[in-house]
């Protein structure tokens, strides 16, 4: 049950945001085996003065040239393998290029892993542990 925070500049139409969220969830279902109904996404639309992502300075030699369309995706999740994370990192930019025309250089992803006991999804239970018992 990952929680996905999506940061981007304000002003995109709802259809763009919907396609963005759909693509992220599709990539998670394909690469992490998430169920269709395991979708927890929070969109953070920021004013330009509150969203400072360098376009060229960092990793310029790696061919990463971002534009103002850059999105930052931060995922908090229970443990995932490096293979799962790499598959997600590879799949998502392809889906976003097809769905909203986003350049792969504009897809910035950060995955933060937690332990299973760090999750309570309601009613006071350590859901990921108690569900398994």
């Amino acid at each position: 049950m990952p929680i996905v925070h999506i940061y981007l500049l304000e002003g995109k139409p709802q259809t763009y945001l919907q396609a963005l969220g759909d693509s992220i969830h599709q990539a998670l279902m394909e690469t992490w085996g998430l169920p269709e109904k395991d979708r927890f996404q929070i969109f953070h639309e920021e004013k330009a003065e509150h969203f400072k992502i360098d376009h060229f300075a960092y990793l310029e030699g790696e061919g990463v040239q971002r534009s103002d369309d850059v999105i930052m995706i931060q995922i908090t999740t229970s443990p995932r393998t490096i293979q799962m994370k790499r598959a997600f990192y590879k799949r998502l930019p392809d889906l976003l290029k097809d769905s909203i025309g986003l350049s792969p250089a504009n897809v910035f992803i950060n995955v933060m892993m937690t332990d299973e006991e760090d999750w309570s999804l309601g009613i006071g239970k350590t859901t990921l542990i108690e569900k398994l018992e």
Side-chain angles (χ1 to χ4, degrees):
M1 190 222 112
I3 297 174
V4 181
H5 290 269
I6 304 150
Y7 299 87
L8 69 161
L9 284 174
E10 65 183 357
K12 296 294 186 188
Q14 182 58 38
T15 54
Y16 182 96
L17 299 176
Q18 184 66 46
L20 173 57
D22 290 348
S23 295
I24 292 168
H25 194 63
Q26 181 180 341
L28 289 169
M29 288 190 302
E30 290 178 13
T31 62
W32 293 9
L34 255 58
E36 184 176 345
K37 299 213 184 251
D38 188 353
R39 184 170 176 163
F40 297 87
Q41 299 176 337
I42 303 166
F43 287 82
H44 304 269
E45 296 183 79
E46 306 292 338
K47 296 179 185 302
E49 60 267 22
H50 299 152
F51 193 66
K52 302 295 184 193
I53 307 282
D54 283 328
H55 288 190
F56 302 105
Y58 190 71
L59 296 178
E60 185 176 8
E62 302 295 321
V64 177
Q65 297 181 356
R66 297 180 191 91
S67 73
D68 285 340
D69 284 331
V70 65
I71 59 169
M72 178 181 265
I73 301 160
Q74 188 171 56
I75 302 172
T76 304
T77 184
S78 56
R80 306 291 168 174
T81 67
I82 192 168
Q83 293 83 4
M84 293 169 82
K85 290 184 276 187
R86 284 181 174 164
F88 177 73
Y89 299 156
K90 183 172 175 46
R91 181 65 177 133
L92 181 58
D94 291 339
L95 289 171
L96 292 173
K97 185 176 182 185
D98 291 344
S99 66
I100 58 176
L102 189 65
S103 165
N106 282 326
V107 181
F108 187 117
I109 304 167
N110 171 245
V111 175
M112 299 177 358
M113 291 191 297
T114 61
D115 293 322
E116 291 179 337
E117 70 263 14
D118 295 325
W119 295 82
S120 177
L121 308 181
I123 63 173
K125 292 187 177 190
T126 50
T127 311
L128 298 181
I129 295 172
E130 292 181 53
K131 182 174 86 171
L132 300 175
E133 294 176 342

